[in-house]
Structures are given as structure tokens and as C-alpha cells.
Amino acid sequence: MDSHQLIVCRCEEVTLADLLETAQAYQCTGRELKLRTRAGMGCCGGRTCRTLLDQIIVQTTGQVPSHTVPLGYQPPVRPISFTTLGGR
Amino acid sequence: MDDVLVIGAGPAGLSAAIACAKHGLSVRVVDEFYRSGGRLLGQLHQEPDGSWWNGIDEAARLDQEARSAGVEISAGVSVYNVNRIDNGWEVSTTAGEFHAPMLLLATGASETAVPVPGWTLPGSMSIGAAQVMTNVQRVRVGQRGVVIGVNILSVAIARELQLAGVKVDRMILPPSSAVTGHAGNPEAVMRSLLRVAHLAPSPFIRWGSQLMKSHWMQRLGVSLYPAKGFSMWDIPIQLRTGALEIVGSRQVEGVRVARITPDGQTIPGTEEVIPADFVCIAGGLSPLAELAAIAGCPFAYVPSLGGHVPIHDEKMRTPLPGLFVAGNITGIESAKVAMAQGSLAGLSIASTHGVLSDQSLIQQAIHQVEYVRQKATIQFHPEISSGRAIISQMATECMGI
């Protein structure tokens, strides 16, 4: 297996190659990387790949991590059913 | 409505709940897992003095103490939102909404993923998952496994697997890539391992760790590191072997590995496939602070504490009124530190609530946290104390105290 075809975001099936190429081409923030590739936007809410996206940005753009959490959190922070959200 | 809501029934959350309840506050603890204890449940190791630390017993003791003090523990409840309301907090959970003037986040840590080609195959799991299956659910994760990622946590858990009769064939490093950081670099791994070498049972490793305190000896140690590795508790730790890929058609059948240079580059012509039916990937821990983020708490980035942590003062108060933190959400340390922090947070909450008559208890609890930290057998990071100092400084600036 080509290590470049390594899946980083399992929910949205985004590969390391996709992420590295996007980060290099756009020299972007973690948020832009997320929006361009959908990595971290799947059903788990980025619980597995969030820190990996942060690392990719640090490595490819040289941006130093700031005190602000790079990728924001939005509720619900757990997958929940529509019933729980107030449906019937 | 309860006086205090605690999110997380691990060592920090339960200790805090006990302290609050003993000062007359009504306390509810919620936890996502179906039983209380948090990561204590997986822990089983021998202390340097020969005694055993059995996390399941510790969890049972805390659970019992909390319940007899009147704490309500709701297990199997997930929190998906927190909102600041007029005089407190509104917490949305899978068991409905809870309200309380005081909220303690003791949500612990989550494992850091290390992507390895083939890591999506069944039979590949995080080292923490293997720990829970083995020690909590008593399920055999496989017959013969390989651990990818050598750090304090993975060495301790490999030992637990071995104690349970699960064969760990060897421990090796992940492939060096943009997403593995220092974990694929033998020199960096060697340095972090040397910090726990005093726990090793073999006098030879203890001797070696003394020898390797100087930097050039470390380099030499890594370049001369034997291919078969050194064994700890009969588990070969191969710092000069890297995983290239987890292989298998429908599930894990093995790991393709190669010898690597001291800085983590693959040595051509040294590839082989090691048979295995399970693989544990170990990338370490980072604070699980998502609820603090949606609550609007400011953060600090402190690598020695595991990454981004909510800003808090030495009394475990965040800058947000009525919001407290304790345990690994504030930085990765041992369960004993988490307990001490929990007790402190509980006293701090009681004080804020106006029910703590003896304020000197807080100072004692602050000293106790520091004492436990200094005495800890396992320092997860050598710079923990300076990391803590950074947080205190930022809290002072942020809270104007």
C-alpha cells in the first residue's frame, strides 16, 4: 500500500495525500483545510483526526500553534439522535 | 436542581464529588461509560516498592465513598452541550437537561491517533481500547499482537496484556511521516523511555539508563541498539524497527516492518512481515476539553501538558463563573494527581458556594497536589511543572487575581 493513500479521516475517507497537497497548495489554516477536504466533518466530529489536521498544518505551513483551539467545537459534541434533540 | 454537577466519574470527578458532598452540597456525577471509575478501571501495575496498584479496586473504593456521602452517580449518560445561564449552567445530556450553579469538567483525556497504512483493518485498535477490553470487559483481543508506538502508556498496557495472558510479540515504532511527529524517531523515543527506565525490572536496563544520561551516549545507544531490542517483562522493545503497513485481506494478519536509522528512515532491503492477529496503536494522550471550548473558556497551548488545556488557577477555577476543571483535562498526569486535583476542586467549589468554614483546607489541598506530583513514579512529561507555571501565569492575567 502506498503510504500516501493512508486514510487520516475515516468518516469522510480523506487521505494523507489529499491533506498534504491541500495544505501545501493553499498554505492555509486548519479550518480552511477542514472545509476544503471535509476531514474532521464526519459523524464522529473529528474526534480521531482533529490533532492530526493540526499537525499537518504545523508541518506543511510552519504555523506555530496558538493558544486558541485551532478547530472550533460546536454542539452537539457527541453523535445523538433526533429524538434526543427534541423530536418525537 | 443539584448544587454541583460533575461531568466525568473518573478519579478526579469522584474525588471532587466526595469533597463537595462532605461539605453538605448535593452533587450529581454523570459519565459516558456504563460504570464509574474512568480510566482507573484499566489500570494494573506494580509500584517500585513492590505493591500493586489495582485501578478497579480504587474505582470501587471511590464509588462507594461517593455514594455513601450521598452523591448521585448517573453512568451511561453522554453530555453533548453546556450553556451558561443566569445563575449557573445548563447541561444537555442523553438523559435530559440538568441545571446547577456549579459545574466541574473532569472529562479526562482522549488517545491521540497515529495513522499507519492498514489501520482501518479489523483487529487494529488503540492501545487504550485493548486495555479496556482486557481489564474491564475481560475479552481477549487476540492471540498474538504487535504494539506500534513506544511510550510510557503503551509499555504499561503491554505489560497488562501480558499479565492477562495475551501475547505481545514485540513493540515497534510507527512509520515516520507528517502525522507521526517524534513517535517515529528512535532517538526521541529513547529519551522519553529513559525517564521511566527506573521502573524496569531488569538491572541491566537500570544500568543502561544511568549510562545514557548524556546526549552523546544516547546517540550511541540508539545507533548500537540491538535489532532484537531490549526486553522489558519479556516483551521485546525494538526501537530500531518501524512499522510500514498493517497487512491482511479481511482482518489483521501481520505487520510489514523494516529496520530504521536512528532518525527514523527506513533501511532498504530489511523488510519482513511479522505475523499478528491484532495490532495496538499507541499515540499518547491529550486533554479532552471539548465541553470547556463550547462553554467559552479560554485555552492555553502547553505541549508538556498534552496540548490545549482550559485556563484555570491553582484552585481549579476557570475564568468563567461557576466553571471548574480537574484531572487530565488540565494536563496529562497520573490518576493519583487527578484524585488530588479533584479533592482540591471540590473544596474550591464548596468555598465558592460559601459552605467551606475552614479556608486553610484549600491551601493544604494545593500543597497535596504538588506533593503527589513530585512523588509520582511516572512523569508523563519532564516539563510538567513549568507547564503548570505557564497556566497559572495565564490565569492570573486572565482573571486579574
Side-chain angles (χ1 to χ4, degrees):
Chain A
M1 187 193 285
D2 178 359
S3 72
H4 241 47
Q5 288 314 307
L6 171 58
I7 288 178
V8 171
C9 171
R10 295 176 181 217
C11 303
E12 296 289 320
E13 299 195 349
V14 185
T15 65
L16 180 59
D18 294 336
L19 291 164
L20 288 174
E21 282 160 19
T22 307
Q24 270 150 13
Y26 296 97
Q27 293 294 308
C28 54
T29 61
R31 177 169 158 74
E32 187 175 336
L33 181 64
K34 176 181 93 168
L35 293 172
R36 286 189 180 275
T37 61
R38 286 202 57 80
M41 295 177 73
C43 58
C44 89
R47 280 204 274 168
T48 304
C49 65
R50 161 186 293 273
T51 54
L52 304 173
L53 299 187
D54 294 345
Q55 278 182 47
I56 287 168
I57 290 299
V58 170
Q59 296 249 337
T60 52
T61 71
Q63 291 170 26
V64 182
S66 78
H67 288 309
T68 311
V69 177
L71 297 175
Y73 287 95
Q74 285 83 29
V77 295
R78 288 290 176 279
I80 51 169
S81 68
F82 281 115
T83 315
T84 305
L85 267 182
R88 287 175 59 85
Chain B
M1 186 169 84
D2 295 298
D3 296 323
V4 188
L5 185 71
V6 177
I7 304 177
L14 289 176
S15 301
I18 291 166
C20 288
K22 283 187 173 167
H23 286 86
L25 298 178
S26 69
V27 190
R28 176 184 297 275
V29 183
V30 298
D31 194 288
E32 195 159 53
F33 203 51
Y34 60 84
R35 59 189 272 198
S36 69
R39 295 316 303 243
L40 275 176
L41 296 173
Q43 295 178 3
L44 180 64
H45 64 256
Q46 202 165 13
E47 302 278 2
D49 68 4
S51 65
W52 284 85
W53 172 262
N54 184 337
I56 289 182
D57 290 348
E58 295 296 324
R61 184 180 60 75
L62 286 173
D63 181 272
Q64 180 57 41
E65 194 179 346
R67 286 180 199 273
S68 33
V71 173
E72 188 80 36
I73 300 176
S74 310
V77 174
S78 296
V79 174
Y80 62 86
N81 197 7
V82 296
N83 264 311
R84 183 156 167 64
I85 51 173
D86 268 350
N87 27 33
W89 294 90
E90 178 187 69
V91 176
S92 305
T93 79
T94 49
E97 311 258 303
F98 294 105
H99 299 89
M102 308 277 170
L103 178 63
L104 172 67
L105 302 178
T107 45
S110 61
E111 288 190 84
T112 308
V114 181
V116 178
W119 72 322
T120 49
L121 281 170
S124 163
M125 66 197 80
S126 77
I127 190 89
Q131 183 188 41
V132 171
M133 285 169 77
T134 304
N135 288 351
V136 184
Q137 282 139 357
R138 311 281 177 182
V139 171
R140 177 183 273 275
V141 290
Q143 301 299 326
R144 174 190 160 100
V146 171
V147 175
I148 301 177
V150 179
N151 55 47
I152 296 164
L153 189 70
S154 71
V155 172
I157 298 177
R159 163 73 164 152
E160 293 176 15
L161 293 175
Q162 187 211 41
L163 284 169
V166 176
K167 181 172 171 60
V168 176
D169 182 67
R170 71 193 74 188
M171 302 183 70
I172 59 178
L173 300 198
S176 192
S177 85
V179 281
T180 48
H182 291 310
N185 180 312
E187 283 182 0
V189 173
M190 173 76 112
R191 278 196 295 279
S192 65
L193 265 195
L194 287 176
R195 300 205 314 269
V196 286
H198 61 285
L199 297 175
S202 152
F204 175 66
I205 292 181
R206 275 195 289 258
W207 171 78
S209 71
Q210 289 304 315
L211 197 67
M212 293 198 193
K213 277 183 177 155
S214 74
H215 186 67
W216 70 270
M217 279 305 291
Q218 284 172 19
R219 288 191 71 95
L220 191 63
V222 172
S223 56
L224 298 178
Y225 198 85
K228 285 182 179 169
F230 287 117
S231 288
M232 266 174 106
W233 302 296
D234 294 328
I235 303 168
I237 300 179
Q238 301 182 345
L239 298 186
R240 292 287 303 279
T241 303
L244 299 176
E245 183 188 1
I246 301 167
V247 296
S249 50
R250 301 179 66 84
Q251 62 182 53
V252 172
E253 290 168 20
V255 184
R256 196 157 57 83
V257 303
R259 297 272 293 142
I260 53 177
T261 61
D263 62 351
Q265 301 308 306
T266 301
I267 300 173
T270 60
E271 289 185 21
E272 61 173 316
V273 173
I274 304 165
D277 65 350
F278 75 96
V279 169
C280 300
I281 300 178
L285 300 169
S286 45
L288 185 60
E290 49 201 355
L291 292 173
I294 56 173
C297 184
F299 275 72
Y301 178 71
V302 184
S304 64
L305 298 179
H308 284 90
V309 298
I311 290 180
H312 57 280
D313 69 3
E314 58 174 9
K315 296 178 182 174
M316 315 312 283
R317 299 179 296 191
T318 73
L320 303 183
L323 186 70
F324 298 76
V325 287
N328 272 197
I329 187 177
T330 73
I332 306 306
E333 292 192 73
S334 75
K336 289 177 184 173
V337 174
M339 287 180 194
Q341 286 181 318
S343 301
L344 166 59
L347 291 170
S348 189
I349 289 168
S351 170
T352 308
H353 218 283
V355 294
L356 186 71
S357 44
D358 182 0
Q359 294 294 322
S360 72
L361 291 176
I362 291 189
Q363 281 309 318
Q364 284 172 31
I366 291 172
H367 289 141
Q368 180 64 16
V369 171
E370 197 46 44
Y371 175 73
V372 175
R373 178 171 293 138
Q374 296 308 327
K375 249 187 49 176
T377 330
I378 297 178
Q379 289 285 355
F380 279 82
H381 196 286
E383 307 292 334
I384 280 175
S385 290
S386 58
R388 293 280 171 205
I390 294 170
I391 298 286
S392 292
Q393 176 62 30
M394 289 181 73
T396 309
E397 286 164 14
C398 199
M399 296 159 79
I401 39 171

